[in-house]
Structure formats: structure tokens, C-alpha cells
Amino acid sequence: MPIASPAASVALEGFELRVLHLPLVSPFTTSFGTETVREVIVVRALTDGGDGWGEIVTGASPLYSSEYTQGAWDVALRFLVPALLERGTMAPEAVAEVLAPFVGHRMVKAGLELAVLDAALRSEGRALGEYLGSMRDRVPSGVSIGIQRDPAALVDAVDGYLAEGYARIKIKIKPGRDIADTAAVREAFGTIALQVDANSAYTLADADTLAELDRFDLLLIEQPLQEDDLVDHATLARRLRTPVCLDESIVSAKAAADALALGSASIINIKAGRVGGYLEAVAIHDLCRDAGIPVWCGGMLETGIGRAANAALSALPGFTLPGDVSASNRFYTRDIVTEPAILEDGHVRVPTGHGIGVEIDPVALDDFTVARETLTR
Ligand code: NPG
């Protein structure tokens, strides 16, 4: 269902942007590379109703998508923030429309929109979850595990996360690190909820290999082919018994509708950053729900800001599969919020405080900041 009751308008007085470097507890390897530090941009909207916080989930390099930190920084300060400040007073629902003339840069738009939304909801004393249409007070928590040294090391890693209580395991795969890794996990742990993520590492020529995954009864295979391969994904989906789920390809509600019409996916991963914001994310949720397509919330190694918002989004009724909404300590020893997400009985709680429902730890924020810029009206 669309947002039941719109948020208040706020007068925008300025935006502070910071680049943060957060060390990861262990290296995170995907088919596109290894990260040891999460580089992220934190947004603070300065408004007449108080501050609001958002997060731009671009990484240091354009490897997952075309967006990356320095590009995001430039487009935000040169075009997007000035456009918002020029408009002055607005409801959060108008942010996307003000930014629509600027092509792409969805992660930047999402971070700016979240900051304005947080400020507006805090000023009204409303929680983001309630605003978005959350139906649950906690959500099952899945964990995403990077490619390890070898299958034995992967089994050890999975063992540790299962012991912590994670409700679902996702492993990263790439050509040459797929069948044996998946077989090792399935053999070691039996019928656990298991899925794989290829991050676009294959082509249709790999269909025979990917079909070998069918014997492992996976929940899904995520984004096997390139971002713009909707037709090839449809061809592959007809060939596989494992459900195909799209991540990188789903950049908007329109892209989701196209993918469903073509039969490119039977499950969709929703990430607010990738689609341009939490409101577009709700629109995708709604259209998938109407079509009977399960969705789940993806993760981008968010700080406590995005992690809180993702928990709220994941509590919408169409999120019927566990998301990559893990505890903060899955990635970080120290977060930038005072109450980082924790795992309780395999679940993460949906914050109930005003706005995103978590408070910033100003000392941690300063400690991780490597660049900072403020634009005011
Ligand atoms: O739990 O936040 C998390 C990480 C989930 O695997 C995860 N994210 O491809 O979905 C992905 C991957 C990712 C992370 C992609 C960071 C890009 C940047």
C-alpha cells in the first residue's frame, strides 16, 4: 500500500556531507573485489525542525554499480544539494521529484531523501517504520558471507554465523568458486536456508554450470548475469529450477515491472540505495506484492543509519524472505550510532524511536570522518 499519511514539510537550511572510513571486522570478498574498509558518505540535513540523517551507500570504486564515492560527492555538492536548497521548503515525498531532472545517481538521491525524511519524521514524532507501513516489530536476520580462502574456510565461517543464530545464509559465488563451495556448505549443514549471490559474474554461456546448483535446493540465485541482461536472465530462469532473484538490475519500480513482465526473476532484492530511496523501495514492494512476487531487503554494509532504516523497510508485509539485515557487529566493531543493531534470537529489532529511530554517536562519527563539506542556503 502506498504511504498512508505523508510526512510534514521542512525548511531546508543546509546539508553536511562526510566521507567516513569504517574498518571491517574481516575482509569482505565478492566476485568484484575485496573490501577491508567501508567507505561511505553520511548526510546530515539541517532543517527548521531539527537535523535528519541519511547514508549514501556508494563505495570507493564503481565495481558494484557505476556509482562511487568521489562521483557521488561531486554530484551531490554540485547539483543535487543546491537543487534541494533552492526549493527550500518541502515534504520528503517531494525530494525525488526535485532531483528527477538529474539522471541516475540513485544512491545519492536515496541518501539525501532519507536525511530529509528523518528530519521531517523526527519533527513530527513519528517512526520511519510506522510511516513506511511496517507490520512487525522485529525481522529475521540473514547474513551475507564473502568468498573465503577455500570451501573448508567457508564452512568454518558459516558455522560461526549459524552459532550466532542467523536465520539464513547467503554465500558469494563466482566462476570457479561456485559448485564446490555450495556443496561444502550444504553437506556440512543439511537443510539450512541457503542462497547464493553471483554479483553479475556469469554469462548465459555458463548456464550448464549454474544448472548444477539446482541440486542444492537453494532459496534463490541472486544476479547471475549483468545488470542490463534482463532478456538473458529470462532465458536462464526458464532453464533453472533454482529461482532467479535480481539485485543490480532492479534500479527502479519501472525496472522491476519490466523484469517481472519478461520473466527475468521470480524474487526481487530491494535496496533503497540502488533504487533511489525508501519511497521507491516501497513502490517496488507494493508492485511485487500485487504480483505475488516475494521480496527481501538487500544490504550495502550500512552504518547504523541505513541499518535502522533497512530494518524498518524489512518489516513491510511483502518482505517474506529474510534480508541481509544483519547485526552491526557482523561488519563493524564500532558503529556511528549509540544503539547498533544486535541479533536477538535470529532477529533484528525494528527501531521505534522518532525518524530512523537511532541516535548518532558524535565522537564515533568524528573519529571515522575523513572529509567533510557543508552547503547552506
Ligand atoms: O549485509 O550489508 C550486508 C551485505 C550484503 O552482500 C551484501 N551486499 O552484492 O548485495 C551485495 C553486497 C554489496 C555490498 C554490494 C556492498 C555492494 C556494496
Side-chain angles (χ1 to χ4, degrees):
M1 73 221 99
I3 300 300
S5 150
S9 289
V10 285
L12 298 174
E13 294 165 356
F15 283 88
E16 178 194 77
L17 265 54
R18 297 169 180 243
V19 178
L20 266 52
H21 282 178
L22 282 98
L24 296 176
V25 293
S26 56
F28 188 61
T29 300
T30 64
S31 61
F32 57 79
T34 298
E35 278 191 280
T36 55
V37 171
R38 175 60 169 147
E39 182 172 281
V40 63
I41 299 175
V42 165
V43 181
R44 175 190 210 154
L46 312 163
T47 82
D48 63 339
D51 292 353
W53 297 89
E55 169 170 355
I56 298 173
V57 295
T58 47
S61 315
L63 297 174
Y64 165 83
S65 80
S66 62
E67 295 190 73
Y68 68 105
T69 309
Q70 286 308 313
W73 189 255
D74 185 74
V75 80
L77 293 170
R78 195 187 297 269
F79 299 107
L80 305 188
V81 168
L84 292 171
L85 293 177
E86 164 98 12
R87 174 70 75 103
T89 297
M90 75 183 77
E93 295 84 7
V95 170
E97 174 198 318
V98 172
L99 301 181
F102 303 101
V103 176
H105 299 286
R106 292 182 171 89
M107 294 178 187
V108 186
K109 292 173 177 175
L112 295 173
E113 183 192 77
L114 181 60
V116 176
L117 187 52
D118 183 44
L121 293 175
R122 282 179 198 265
S123 78
E124 289 182 89
R126 290 171 73 187
L128 178 66
E130 176 250 304
Y131 167 82
L132 294 175
S134 298
M135 305 289 277
R136 289 171 280 176
D137 53 16
R138 59 180 209 156
V139 294
S141 176
V143 63
S144 172
I145 304 175
I147 296 167
Q148 307 291 314
R149 196 177 56 250
D150 53 35
L154 175 63
V155 166
D156 279 350
V158 172
D159 196 30
Y161 291 117
L162 289 173
E164 285 185 55
Y166 280 102
R168 176 278 269 154
I169 299 291
K170 154 170 151 180
I171 62 171
K172 296 287 188 179
I173 58 168
K174 67 177 183 179
R177 294 301 305 276
D178 37 34
I179 309 303
D181 285 70
T182 311
V185 174
R186 195 42 109 202
E187 277 156 26
F189 304 107
T191 58
I192 58 165
L194 179 65
Q195 63 193 55
V196 297
D197 183 4
N199 285 112
S200 307
Y202 296 87
T203 71
L204 257 193
D206 300 306
D208 288 343
T209 304
L210 296 173
E212 285 183 54
L213 292 170
D214 279 347
R215 68 185 146 99
F216 301 120
D217 282 317
L218 301 174
L219 288 170
L220 57 92
I221 176 171
E222 187 179 352
Q223 197 70 37
L225 313 178
Q226 292 294 302
E227 177 176 325
D228 54 4
D229 280 345
L230 282 189
V231 172
D232 283 356
H233 272 112
T235 306
L236 182 66
R238 282 193 297 274
R239 172 81 202 279
L240 303 184
R241 195 164 57 78
T242 308
V244 172
C245 169
L246 289 177
D247 171 8
E248 284 89 328
S249 297
I250 307 301
V251 295
S252 63
K254 174 70 168 67
D258 288 352
L260 298 186
L262 284 167
S264 314
S266 53
I267 298 174
I268 284 182
N269 162 331
I270 300 183
K271 286 179 183 165
R274 196 193 62 228
V275 306
Y278 285 85
L279 296 176
E280 187 77 1
V282 171
I284 297 174
H285 161 272
D286 293 351
L287 85 86
C288 288
R289 198 161 181 236
D290 289 347
I293 295 289
V295 302
W296 56 280
C297 183
M300 295 288 287
L301 278 60
E302 281 85 354
T303 72
I305 296 173
R307 207 163 283 278
N310 285 347
L313 179 68
S314 303
L316 268 66
F319 285 80
T320 53
L321 290 168
D324 286 341
V325 188
S326 37
S328 171
N329 71 4
R330 152 73 185 90
F331 292 108
Y332 306 113
T333 44
R334 186 180 176 206
D335 206 322
I336 58 165
V337 299
T338 55
E339 284 184 73
I342 54 170
L343 196 66
E344 294 170 308
D345 184 26
H347 291 70
V348 165
R349 212 177 291 181
V350 178
T352 51
H354 302 165
I356 57 173
V358 289
E359 301 306 322
I360 301 299
D361 173 346
V363 178
L365 183 68
D366 281 347
D367 286 351
F368 292 126
T369 298
V370 297
R372 183 171 167 169
E373 190 86 52
T374 303
L375 288 187
T376 52
R377 235 162 104 74

